[in-house]
Amino acid sequence: MLALAAAFGYRMFGEQLLKAAMVPSVPFAESKQDSKPDYRRPAMWLSRPDLPDDPARWAPEGYGAAARPTIATFYVVPTTYLRRDRWNAPLDDREANERARLFAQTQASVFNGVSATWVPRYRQATFGAFLTDKADAEAALDFAYQDILAAFETFLGAIPASRPIILAGHSQGSLHLMRLLRDRIAGTPLSRRIVAAYLGGWPVSLEADIPALGLPACTKPGEARCVIAWQSYAEPAEPGAVAKVYHASTGLTGKPRQNTEMLCVNPLTGAPATAAPPTENLGALRPSEDFSTLSLEAGKIGARCDKGLLLIGPPPLGFGRYVLPGNNFHIYDYALFWANLRADAEARAASFAKPW
């Protein structure tokens, strides 16, 4: 009965409960902060080509990492720090780092068939920063972005000056990449090196964000030099919490996002505003109960874009843990479509390599 009551309370009051449990009570100005990471040190990277134990080079049976990749991927992990004792994660937090390794394995590994992958550790904003409109939360995100910018500069200096680049992230990682595209890449020669930008798990406005990114939204499968974004929900979907924040916010162009359309590129089709049955799913990464093992299962999960959301039908078996309120399958944005996203990256890389 207690478990039933807890589940009911989470469904009915999930947002309020999360805020109370996760938003730091200490002001940002008084929050503990680690010193700035030195990205010249291998220890400041979760993944990079010279690391012997690299979760981003993992692949399920039947797949493997490229032996001589000609593309470099810069991938930014989502939020993995869940404590409320400070606004930004310490670099040595064991639990946060273990979760980050899991995301590198299940998400960044999508790109190892065509690229060498770089994944920086960073002083990310804690989960509670996304549950409040306090100025402290904005300060925490800005603080985290400075690490991403520094890591990206080191990444650029370590790869050949002509090497094509895939940008990829999830959730908080996608948010930081949007800012990186606007502030560091758009309108510069570097923009011509971007194969594609995968901004999973974050709402991207077609009118208020895309024009500032320097790359258009992807319009068809295999298209290069464009942006892919999606947010996965099972049905019935209740995206009210996300929609409330989205429509009250300002886009990267400076225009309000209110009543603007969110970009949804279906990972099963590679195109926006499309639908595909489960038979089109080449393989979803289904975790074991304790997330210690992963199995690739094809033909089980379909998807369709609907009003900016990616709807996957009824909640799929084997993906029940860590689902957010509203049937939000946020944590599984990559895992649900792992093999299709891998094929998508390969197709866009092939297009990029063709003469202009």
Side-chain angles (χ1 to χ4, degrees), residues 180-194 214:
L180 188 75
L181 278 162
R182 182 193 66 180
D183 296 348
R184 177 64 180 85
I185 298 173
T188 74
L190 184 58
S191 65
R192 296 173 61 87
R193 293 169 58 187
I194 306 301

Side-chain angles (χ1 to χ4, degrees), residues 59 85 89 104 108 120 135 234 269 273 299-300 304 324 335 341:
D85 61 323
T269 66
K300 298 290 183 68
R304 62 186 176 90
L324 295 177
L341 286 167

Side-chain angles (χ1 to χ4, degrees), residues 3-342:
L4 180 62
F8 178 78
Y10 178 73
R11 288 294 183 185
M12 294 298 293
F13 307 106
E15 185 178 358
Q16 295 94 321
L17 290 173
L18 282 173
K19 285 183 178 181
M22 309 302 291
V23 176
S25 56
V26 60
F28 174 80
E30 299 175 15
S31 181
K32 296 178 182 177
Q33 305 292 3
D34 282 2
S35 58
K36 186 174 182 178
D38 180 359
Y39 288 107
R40 295 171 299 179
R41 298 176 54 220
M44 288 298 98
W45 295 87
L46 186 63
S47 299
R48 71 182 218 176
D50 59 344
L51 293 182
D53 182 21
D54 185 344
R57 286 203 289 272
W58 174 88
E61 185 177 356
Y63 293 84
R68 293 182 177 84
T70 57
I71 294 172
T73 291
F74 184 77
Y75 164 86
V76 185
V77 298
T79 308
T80 61
Y81 187 66
L82 308 181
R83 300 181 188 274
R84 64 190 298 263
D85 61 323
R86 60 178 75 190
W87 283 95
N88 291 86
L91 293 166
D92 62 353
D93 186 84
R94 182 180 60 82
E95 291 183 353
N97 286 332
E98 287 177 354
R99 295 185 190 106
R101 284 187 63 85
L102 181 60
F103 281 115
Q105 179 183 0
T106 59
Q107 297 185 354
S109 61
V110 159
F111 306 100
N112 68 30
V114 294
S115 72
T117 305
W118 298 65
V119 182
R121 303 179 189 275
Y122 70 108
R123 297 168 295 176
Q124 60 179 251
T126 188
F127 179 71
F130 297 93
L131 302 175
T132 178
D133 58 1
K134 291 182 178 179
D136 293 318
E138 185 176 351
L141 287 166
D142 185 67
F143 186 87
Y145 173 72
Q146 300 309 315
D147 282 1
I148 297 305
L149 181 59
F152 185 68
E153 296 298 343
T154 301
F155 161 78
L156 288 178
I159 64 175
S162 60
R163 179 147 297 182
I165 296 168
I166 290 174
L167 297 174
H170 184 246
S171 192
Q172 180 173 172
S174 293
L175 174 63
H176 293 313
L177 287 178
M178 289 173 66
R179 183 172 174 183
L180 188 75
L181 278 162
R182 182 193 66 180
D183 296 348
R184 177 64 180 85
I185 298 173
T188 74
L190 184 58
S191 65
R192 296 173 61 87
R193 293 169 58 187
I194 306 301
V195 176
Y198 290 82
L199 306 178
W202 194 262
V204 179
S205 170
L206 284 167
E207 296 93 335
D209 291 318
I210 288 292
L213 301 184
L215 297 173
C218 292
T219 60
K220 59 185 179 181
E223 181 182 10
R225 302 177 177 88
C226 58
V227 174
I228 302 99
W230 71 102
Q231 301 171 85
S232 308
Y233 280 79
E235 298 178 78
E238 299 173 4
V242 172
K244 179 181 178 181
V245 175
Y246 172 81
H247 289 290
S249 62
T250 300
L252 295 182
T253 62
K255 297 179 180 179
R257 294 190 178 105
Q258 186 174 16
N259 298 325
T260 64
E261 183 179 355
M262 289 184 286
L263 174 62
C264 175
V265 176
N266 190 334
L268 298 184
T269 66
T274 52
T279 53
E280 296 299 310
N281 193 315
L282 301 176
L285 282 182
R286 185 170 67 85
S288 60
E289 184 66 22
D290 62 356
F291 278 68
S292 62
T293 61
L294 299 158
S295 58
L296 199 63
E297 296 184 348
K300 298 290 183 68
I301 301 169
R304 62 186 176 90
C305 289
D306 186 342
K307 298 178 181 178
L309 303 180
L310 186 68
L311 303 182
I312 61 173
L317 295 176
F319 295 88
R321 296 187 69 186
Y322 307 113
V323 176
L324 295 177
N327 263 336
N328 187 346
F329 274 64
H330 181 75
I331 193 174
Y332 301 110
D333 279 319
Y334 276 76
L336 291 168
F337 314 105
W338 189 91
N340 289 81
L341 286 167
R342 187 178 180 90

